[in-house]
Amino acid sequence: MQIQVGIVGAGPAGLMLSHLLHQHGVDSVVIDTRSREEIEGTIRAGVLEQSSVDLMTETGVGDRVRQLGMVHEGIELRFCGRGHRIDFTDLTGGRGVTIYPQHEVLKDLIAKRLADGGDIRFGVSGVQVKGITGDAPTIGFTQDGVEQELTCGLVAGCDGSRTMTRYLIPSPEPRQDHFRQYPFAWFGILAEAPRSSDELIYAHHRNGFALISTRSATVQRHYLQVEPNDNVHDWSDDRIWQELRTRVDGAEIKEGPIFSKSVLPFRSFVCEPMQHGRLFLAGDAAHTVPPTGAKGMNLAIADVHVLSRAMTRFFAAGVRTALDAYTDTALPRVWRAQHFSWWMTSMLHRMPEASGFDLNRQIAELDTVTRSRAGRTLLAENYVGTPFD
Ligand code: DHB
């Protein structure tokens, strides 16, 4: 089968790329080793920047996010027993973020692709990408026991942080992997409880960081900074609630039965370049950010916004210029998001062996940021995200 773009991975990057290419008349096939049920049923957080919601709306997949998403016009930073609001609306000229889980975005994109006659192959196995430095790369795979091969004009590697496509770029030349491990993890819970706060609370405490978030009026999502080797069994329900109350130091926390506990990895990663021959990486296949800045899904969408335009120009006019410039166009935003996520992380988390100097320096930094309009604006602009163009 001949196709313009073969896309490996039906996550936010792969599905959004296929959707955007279709809008520009470029055809694609998306393959994924997971079933549709698994993709739509894996519950993941989602904080969408204004530009991500705008792009979904402009391209006809924004109805549910605007109906069901929760628009947040600010967050609270808490330290030393006091809350400090970062007012996004005021500081960014009316921009905000929308809390809308990733699997809901995926449901919207899958439904739209299928309604538009799109080709998504779920549950494939034995994926092999070949010939990316030649003129006609191929993607081989097995579906329902039948071996198939797609001959592609271009290949997009959108297969997430457990990527295989990234490793098709030879290392150490030209591929460089920039990796940062953090000396802690996040422990996340889901609880059946009323909302504790109308807005997310990011709390600094000498015991470590805590985040108060939400899924709905009746389901709440909270996180605690823990040791990287901590196990869910180390944390009884009582210990969790007590530690959350200690760390938010004075904000009211509404308790309820906890029905999910998990430990999240915490790391930064960037692969450079994000392309080789006719292969182009997007989303977590190319980079991972720590969760503090809530940037992951937005970076995937920003990547494919750039990539879809470059691919469209290539097929419409035979011009490779924009494709050749893909890494240089996409990477500065990736590094800005890395910096923002690292900044939020380093300002709010307890480092191992933190001294009185370190803790007081963090408090002074939080004080500097929150008491100055310029400081709050810097944080707000980065949190709501800069425009795509
Ligand atoms: C959530 C996760 C984040 O990493 C974040 O920064 C904000 C909210 C969440 O799970 O709701």
Side-chain angles (χ1 to χ4, degrees):
M1 185 176 174
Q2 296 266 354
I3 195 82
Q4 287 176 302
V5 185
I7 301 176
V8 183
L15 290 169
M16 191 70 176
L17 177 62
S18 177
H19 170 62
L20 295 176
L21 288 173
H22 174 73
Q23 305 268 310
H24 295 112
V26 175
D27 61 23
S28 63
V29 174
V30 184
I31 63 161
D32 201 296
T33 53
R34 298 166 298 169
S35 67
R36 179 174 180 182
E37 293 67 34
E38 193 181 339
I39 291 170
E40 294 187 341
T42 305
I43 296 177
R44 293 239 174 91
V47 178
L48 288 168
E49 295 178 357
Q50 183 77 54
S51 295
S52 300
V53 175
D54 292 347
L55 185 65
M56 288 176 71
T57 304
E58 283 156 22
T59 61
V61 285
D63 289 352
R64 284 175 76 248
V65 66
R66 271 176 297 131
Q67 240 171 47
L68 306 174
M70 289 175 276
V71 175
H72 280 210
E73 297 177 344
I75 55 168
E76 181 176 313
L77 291 186
R78 271 192 90 76
F79 55 98
C80 301
R82 282 194 53 207
H84 304 259
R85 183 157 191 263
I86 308 291
D87 183 335
F88 297 156
T89 314
D90 173 41
L91 296 164
T92 67
R95 294 165 76 82
V97 293
T98 302
I99 313 283
Y100 187 64
Q102 176 169 315
H103 59 281
E104 298 295 344
V105 175
L106 299 179
K107 280 187 206 167
D108 296 342
L109 288 168
I110 290 170
K112 178 74 169 134
R113 282 312 293 127
L114 297 180
D116 287 346
D119 189 345
I120 312 174
R121 313 290 181 88
F122 297 105
V124 307
S125 58
V127 178
Q128 288 214 341
V129 179
K130 291 192 180 144
I132 56 163
T133 51
D135 287 342
T138 58
I139 304 178
F141 59 92
T142 303
Q143 187 181 25
D144 301 325
V146 182
E147 283 186 22
Q148 309 213 27
E149 191 170 84
L150 305 173
T151 303
C152 312
L154 301 171
V155 174
C158 304
D159 46 350
S161 53
R162 294 197 199 110
T163 176
M164 47 98 39
T165 55
R166 181 195 301 157
Y167 302 102
L168 297 169
I169 307 179
S171 168
E173 263 303 318
R175 195 185 89 231
Q176 288 179 52
D177 293 339
H178 304 288
F179 194 67
R180 162 63 58 96
Q181 192 78 43
Y182 296 82
F184 39 76
W186 273 15
F187 182 73
I189 61 152
L190 285 165
E192 270 169 50
R195 260 190 209 116
S196 294
S197 162
D198 288 340
E199 294 181 344
L200 271 51
I201 302 177
Y202 288 77
H204 171 276
H205 190 271
R206 63 179 177 279
N207 288 10
F209 171 72
L211 172 59
I212 304 302
S213 183
T214 183
R215 287 287 172 274
S216 69
T218 55
V219 174
Q220 309 315 319
R221 178 73 163 155
H222 306 321
Y223 299 93
L224 288 168
Q225 175 189 350
V226 296
E227 299 295 321
N229 298 324
D230 268 16
N231 191 294
V232 289
H233 306 297
D234 299 328
W235 287 85
S236 68
D237 293 12
D238 277 352
R239 184 177 172 209
I240 292 167
W241 291 120
Q242 191 181 338
E243 195 58 27
L244 280 169
R245 273 197 309 272
T246 302
R247 294 190 190 182
V248 300
D249 195 1
E252 193 199 355
I253 299 294
K254 297 197 173 119
E255 297 183 17
I258 296 175
F259 62 90
S260 162
K261 299 180 184 179
S262 55
V263 176
L264 279 71
F266 217 93
R267 54 185 191 269
S268 289
F269 175 81
V270 179
C271 159
E272 191 178 359
M274 292 165 63
Q275 64 194 90
H276 188 60
R278 288 181 176 241
L279 170 71
F280 299 84
L281 304 180
D284 278 4
H287 41 71
T288 306
V289 283
T292 329
K295 286 281 162 254
M297 184 162 46
N298 299 292
L299 276 185
I301 294 174
D303 283 351
V304 299
H305 175 70
V306 173
L307 187 55
S308 62
R309 290 179 169 199
M311 287 180 161
T312 302
R313 285 202 62 205
F314 174 72
F315 288 112
V319 183
R320 251 203 91 115
T321 333
L323 269 185
D324 289 340
Y326 169 59
T327 296
D328 289 342
T329 311
L331 213 50
R333 185 185 193 89
V334 172
W335 278 114
R336 285 200 304 276
Q338 289 291 2
H339 171 257
F340 177 64
S341 308
W342 170 88
W343 178 48
M344 290 284 280
T345 302
S346 69
M347 187 162 61
L348 290 161
H349 288 66
R350 183 191 168 88
M351 295 296 161
E353 321 289 330
S355 64
F357 182 92
D358 299 315
L359 283 172
N360 284 299
R361 186 201 54 74
Q362 281 179 321
I363 290 165
E365 185 174 11
L366 286 160
D367 195 23
T368 302
V369 169
T370 52
R371 72 168 56 230
S372 133
R373 185 176 173 90
R376 294 194 304 277
T377 304
L378 180 68
L379 198 152
E381 279 177 351
N382 282 282
Y383 198 99
V384 304
T386 45
F388 284 165
D389 290 313

